[in-house]
């Protein structure tokens, strides 16, 4: 069975084509900088490797570009669009509507649209990816896999805010959390590595968006993001947790509109606001050259992560492993070192030689003396989406 997985971001489209249930990757790639004349397109298969800049102004154009290469007569991997049996879509926010994977219907699309205000950078792009895929692959079953689903097991004492009850009961205002597909995948990989029936794990997803989850016996029990993806850790352009009074001060004393504040906290803050750069590779380079703002931003980033590790170790009443994943978590030995320094009290000690080694495989980077495992687990949200999509129809 051919399963195409689409991960539509605000200005990007990641894709992987799998043969299932073998979990074989047929091809993969990404379209970045959608909306620009110099968009970047990558397509990798056994017969064809493309990396180029081209004009891609819409998600529809991006998916058409992908399908053109999938169906290339000489070097394509499909004979026709009908070969795709399932298209699995990553959808960031499922609200209280969805606690599992679902086949997409008109009602599902309407609910995804209604939640766009809660994830304005993601849900609209996710929905557009769905609508475009329906036109290009009309015979395929369209499936939505929600980032919030894995986090539905978090108990009420953790997800409820200390505001009047009616805001939860009437307006569904609560902590939802995000990156659930990634946290689910890497926590399962970590559990398999630990080979324990019962486990206490903290998963740390560090990319442009960052989040952490406390996972007990395979179930999430707490999470760093909240009602929206804005809360929690310091991210590429998002502020993370901030005193709500700052918003009132920006509006009432400094004259900012609510639209400006929303843009400030979501798109102009985080590492970008602290350093002028949103890409951690640039920040690490500038820090190594002596840039004081970049040095401080890295320390702040790691400090925030440490606070959550301490908090979650308490909630879990112990700890078997911490897991680093996603682009920064998998590739930045510096961030991992800054996070793990001075955590001896929790029996977390890093082996710097292991930490500095590069690998695409799951690996332990803790010292032999460390009672808590420090794992680097490459995430594979696309494979998890493919598995959940197939499971929907097989079971």
């Amino acid at each position: 069975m051919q399963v195409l997985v689409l991960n539509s971001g605000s200005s990007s489209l990641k894709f992987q084509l799998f043969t299932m249930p073998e979990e074989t990757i047929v091809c993969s790639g990404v379209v970045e900088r959608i909306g620009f004349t110099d968009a970047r397109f990558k397509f990798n298969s056994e017969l064809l490797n493309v990396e180029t800049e081209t004009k891609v102004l819409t998600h529809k154009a991006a998916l058409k570009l992908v399908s053109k290469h999938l169906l290339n007569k000489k070097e394509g991997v499909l004979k026709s669009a009908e070969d795709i049996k399932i298209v699995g879509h990553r959808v960031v926010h499922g609200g209280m509507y969805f606690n599992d994977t679902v086949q997409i219907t008109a009602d599902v699309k309407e609910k995804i649209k209604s939640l766009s205000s809660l994830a304005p950078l993601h849900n609209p792009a996710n929905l557009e990816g769905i609508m475009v895929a329906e036109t290009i692959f009309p015979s395929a079953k369209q499936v939505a896999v929600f980032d919030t689903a894995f986090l539905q097991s978090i108990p009420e004492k953790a997800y409820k805010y200390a505001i009047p009850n009616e805001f939860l009961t009437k307006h569904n205002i609560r902590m939802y959390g995000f990156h659930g597909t990634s946290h689910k995948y890497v926590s399962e990989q970590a559990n398999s590595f630990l080979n324990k029936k019962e486990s206490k794990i903290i998963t740390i997803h560090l990319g442009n968006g960052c989040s952490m989850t406390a996972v007990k016996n395979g179930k999430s029990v707490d999470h760093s993001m909240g009602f929206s993806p804005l809360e929690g850790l310091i991210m590429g352009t998002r502020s993370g947790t901030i005193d709500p009074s700052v918003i009132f001060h920006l509006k009432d004393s400094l004259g900012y509109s609510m639209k400006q504040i929303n843009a400030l906290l979501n798109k102009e803050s985080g590492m970008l606001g602290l350093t002028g750069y949103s890409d951690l590779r640039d920040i690490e380079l500038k820090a190594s050259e002596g840039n004081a703002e970049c040095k401080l931003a890295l320390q702040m980033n790691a400090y925030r992560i440490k606070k959550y590790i301490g908090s979650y170790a308490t909630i879990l009443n112990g700890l078997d492993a911490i897991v680093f994943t996603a682009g920064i978590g998998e590739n930045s030995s510096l961030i991992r070192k800054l996070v793990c320094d001075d955590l001896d009290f929790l029996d977390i000690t890093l082996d710097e030689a292991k930490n500095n080694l590069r690998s695409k495989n799951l690996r332990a980077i803790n010292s032999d003396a460390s009672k808590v495992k420090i794992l680097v687990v490459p995430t594979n949200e696309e494979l998890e989406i493919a598995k959940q999509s197939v499971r929907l129809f097989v079971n």
Side-chain angles (χ1 to χ4, degrees), residues 218-250:
K219 300 288 186 181
S220 61
V221 295
D222 207 345
H223 181 79
S224 61
M225 284 178 166
F227 179 67
S228 79
L230 182 59
E231 189 182 3
L233 304 179
I234 297 171
M235 304 176 226
T237 64
R238 292 176 227 159
S239 65
T241 298
I242 192 169
D243 182 346
S245 294
V246 172
I247 295 170
F248 309 140
H249 183 72
L250 288 168

Side-chain angles (χ1 to χ4, degrees), residues 310 314 340 342-349 372:
T314 303
C340 294
D342 299 322
L343 291 183
D344 336 32
F345 179 74
L346 294 174
D347 285 317
I348 297 173
T349 54
V372 175

Side-chain angles (χ1 to χ4, degrees), residues 207-208 235-238 267 269-273 275-283 328:
N208 191 51
M235 304 176 226
T237 64
R238 292 176 227 159
K267 298 180 179 180
S269 296
M271 300 300 275
L272 177 65
T275 69
Y277 305 96
S278 63
D279 192 314
L280 195 84
R281 291 167 294 189
D282 295 329
I283 297 167
I328 293 170

Side-chain angles (χ1 to χ4, degrees), residues 30-136:
V30 63
V31 186
E32 299 175 306
R33 291 179 55 82
I34 295 173
F36 296 88
T37 56
D38 61 344
R40 301 185 187 112
F41 174 58
K42 295 179 182 178
F43 184 100
N44 298 298
S45 71
E46 191 175 328
L47 296 175
L48 186 64
N49 289 291
V50 175
E51 188 167 343
T52 186
E53 287 190 359
T54 185
K55 177 178 167 182
V56 182
L57 298 182
T58 65
H59 281 75
K60 184 174 183 178
L63 192 49
K64 282 186 173 180
L65 182 61
V66 173
S67 64
K68 176 184 173 183
H69 285 76
L70 289 172
L71 297 164
N72 182 290
K73 288 186 178 181
K74 285 186 177 181
E75 299 166 321
V77 294
L78 300 172
K79 291 180 179 178
S80 73
E82 283 69 35
D83 289 346
I84 301 290
K85 302 305 178 186
I86 299 174
V87 182
H89 299 267
R90 177 206 180 199
V91 180
V92 165
H93 212 312
M96 294 183 74
Y97 296 123
F98 305 105
N99 60 11
D100 208 345
T101 298
V102 297
Q103 185 169 0
I104 294 168
T105 63
D107 180 60
V108 170
K109 286 188 285 187
E110 193 57 38
K111 285 183 169 68
I112 292 171
K113 182 179 180 181
S114 73
L115 293 164
S116 289
S117 62
L118 303 186
L121 298 181
H122 300 93
N123 266 39
N126 301 154
L127 182 58
E128 186 172 3
I130 290 167
M131 296 174 72
V132 172
E134 287 176 330
T135 64
I136 296 178

